[in-house]
Amino acid sequence: MHITEGKTECLPEEAGYHSGRILALDEHFGRMMERREIEGAAYCISKNGKVIAEKGLGLAHYYDHDDSMRPDTIHGIASITKTFTAAALMKLVEDGYTRLDVKVGDILPQFASKPFDGINLFHLLTHTSGLQPDAGCFPNPYFAPVWRYMEEAAKEWKPGEEFDWLTPSMSCGMRRKPGEEWQYCSYGFVVLGAVIEKISGVMAEKYIHDNILSPLGMKDTFFLPADSERLKRIHVTDEEDKEDIKSAVKGEKQCLSSWRDYIPNTGGGLFSTPGDLIRFANMMLGMGQLDGKRILGRKTVEKMTSSVLAHTPDYCWGAEEPDRKYGIGFDRREGPGFLYSKGTYMHEGAGSCSLVIDPAEQLAAAWFVPFRPGEWYADGLWNVSNIIWSGLI
């Protein structure tokens, strides 16, 4: 198994961490490779704000060749993007442009009429809006995703015209009343992208870049399009990825040549590296500050990372949870399967990747375990977090 090490800022033992557990983590990834569950992995771990381990293991697929997985290999972070969208919306709250109890219909007129008029920003951020959840959350042979309604409407769209994607997407209707149930809804975070654009006056992707990514020095975190140097470092999972990369050129969405360009990528469109995600994590552990730069306020971070739901049930993916723990854009999953501290917050991304942040131990970890399309293994995510947290001395 080929291993490439990145830069560390102190030895694990200096930070109160057992270095042998990093070896155990590498061996775990090696076993997954032997079982052909993954071909490579990449991770970064920090303790007390300092990186104690950063590695790439095994194989990565790039646009035009296969090579070693490296610490600076760039991956699609899928739904971890939602944490950045939440942070962006909270900055607008901090600046007085809106509040979490403001109804979405007061910002986006499409949501001003029934049955959508009861949804507020808090509902979107906590997956309690009642809007149709992601495909696969519940058994339903007649399920039609919101994207299908957009595609139908786009058949009438002509380049150069504005594309109102919100109106057709809302044809899916509501599954529950707002606040009634936790049901995972990526569409809600796309709507939040439209909210950010309406309030800020700029595309949501640009707002996130200018207010979060750039101030944090996250140079390897971006929405497509991007410059060629970074595009060459993206781990490609399938042919669709190749087409997206092929069409990605330097610059913003300036020409809006496709109807899809009008839809915010705020539900899952970011690319990043483990090391860059750790910078975001350490900003959160620093209560909104990193390297002397203020990104968010302390009370904002406290709000985002607290369990803000009260006795809200979750039945997604076969769950029978009467009291779902969730923050503002961050998951607060707890239970007997995890070793991290109470108060830990996190998010996973399909594909697959994870970001876990433990304020009690000042420990953060980000890792990528690219599964083959359509596959998923709990031991690449949940078991990995237990190995990492077992190293605390």
Side-chain angles (χ1 to χ4, degrees):
M1 177 177 61
H2 186 272
I3 298 178
T4 304
E5 298 202 27
K7 296 179 179 179
T8 57
E9 297 174 298
C10 73
L11 295 174
E13 275 76 13
E14 294 174 343
Y17 192 91
H18 196 295
S19 58
R21 302 312 298 161
I22 295 172
L23 177 60
L25 178 62
D26 295 345
E27 292 173 345
H28 177 74
F29 288 137
R31 290 192 296 271
M32 292 190 70
M33 292 179 206
E34 290 174 0
R35 296 193 298 265
R36 299 187 180 277
E37 295 170 343
I38 59 175
E39 294 179 281
Y43 66 85
C44 186
I45 305 170
S46 76
K47 179 76 166 68
N48 300 326
K50 294 184 177 181
V51 173
I52 60 173
E54 185 180 34
K55 295 184 183 182
L57 305 88
L59 180 68
H61 303 289
Y62 300 99
Y63 181 74
D64 57 357
H65 68 291
D66 293 341
D67 203 347
S68 300
M69 184 76 78
R70 302 187 301 270
D72 67 345
T73 296
I74 294 171
H75 309 256
I77 70 172
S79 286
I80 296 177
T81 302
K82 293 178 174 67
T83 64
F84 292 85
T85 301
L89 195 283
M90 293 305 293
K91 285 192 68 66
L92 292 171
V93 169
E94 284 190 336
D95 290 343
Y97 288 102
T98 190
R99 301 186 314 277
L100 297 190
D101 60 350
V102 168
K103 291 186 176 181
V104 179
D106 292 342
I107 303 169
L108 303 175
Q110 294 92 332
F111 279 80
S113 58
K114 292 185 180 301
F116 307 99
D117 57 335
I119 302 173
N120 61 30
L121 298 179
F122 177 85
H123 293 136
L124 294 179
L125 287 161
T126 57
H127 298 285
T128 58
S129 67
L131 292 167
Q132 292 292 340
D134 287 18
C137 284
F138 301 96
N140 183 355
Y142 306 106
F143 178 82
V146 295
W147 320 108
R148 188 177 302 172
Y149 294 99
M150 298 182 207
E151 290 172 356
E152 285 298 314
K155 292 178 180 178
E156 305 297 325
W157 175 78
K158 297 178 181 178
E161 296 179 352
E162 290 287 329
F163 180 61
D164 174 17
W165 57 272
L166 271 172
T167 300
S169 70
M170 294 167 69
S171 299
C172 64
M174 302 275 287
R175 185 178 181 275
R176 289 286 185 265
K177 294 179 181 179
E180 186 176 52
E181 184 179 320
W182 188 93
Q183 46 181 28
Y184 192 77
C185 182
S186 293
Y187 170 59
F189 275 78
V190 179
V191 174
L192 284 168
V195 168
I196 292 170
E197 291 180 3
K198 188 67 175 288
I199 295 174
S200 70
V202 299
M203 287 185 167
E205 294 91 339
K206 178 173 173 54
Y207 186 86
I208 292 170
H209 173 271
D210 291 350
N211 290 275
I212 301 173
L213 307 181
S214 181
L216 283 175
M218 298 177 67
K219 297 180 180 179
D220 282 337
T221 305
F222 56 89
F223 294 96
L224 293 177
D227 60 89
S228 59
E229 187 278 327
R230 289 185 295 181
L231 293 177
K232 291 178 181 178
R233 288 192 281 124
I234 295 177
H235 172 81
V236 178
T237 57
D238 54 32
E239 291 301 317
E240 186 176 345
D241 277 357
K242 285 189 176 183
E243 289 303 311
D244 289 341
I245 295 171
K246 184 177 180 180
S247 62
V249 295
K250 186 176 182 179
E252 299 172 14
K253 296 178 183 176
Q254 296 173 344
C255 56
L256 297 172
S257 59
S258 166
W259 62 270
R260 296 180 184 275
D261 293 338
Y262 287 87
I263 304 172
N265 285 317
T266 44
L270 273 173
F271 290 79
S272 190
T273 62
D276 258 15
L277 288 181
I278 286 298
R279 290 193 63 79
F280 179 68
N282 282 331
M283 178 275 291
M284 296 296 294
L285 287 174
M287 304 310 291
Q289 297 192 55
L290 183 70
D291 298 337
K293 292 185 178 180
R294 180 196 183 277
I295 307 299
L296 296 168
R298 178 171 63 87
K299 300 306 292 184
T300 301
V301 173
E302 289 176 359
K303 183 78 171 182
M304 292 180 69
T305 59
S306 300
S307 290
V308 295
L309 301 181
H311 306 294
T312 304
D314 165 23
Y315 306 109
C316 280
W317 298 294
E320 295 183 6
E321 174 56 64
D323 185 15
R324 187 62 158 89
K325 304 297 183 184
Y326 217 79
I328 303 297
F330 281 99
D331 200 343
R332 284 290 311 270
R333 186 187 294 120
E334 299 175 357
F338 305 99
L339 293 181
Y340 46 65
S341 309
K342 187 177 180 62
T344 293
Y345 49 96
M346 76 292 290
H347 213 294
E348 293 174 7
S352 193
C353 51
S354 193
L355 174 65
V356 183
I357 305 170
D358 184 339
E361 296 290 349
Q362 288 291 296
L363 181 66
W367 65 95
F368 293 86
V369 279
F371 302 149
R372 292 179 176 85
E375 298 183 3
W376 187 88
Y377 303 96
D379 54 351
L381 299 170
W382 303 344
N383 298 31
V384 167
S385 73
N386 286 341
I387 295 172
I388 295 172
W389 262 256
S390 73
L392 290 164
I393 298 174

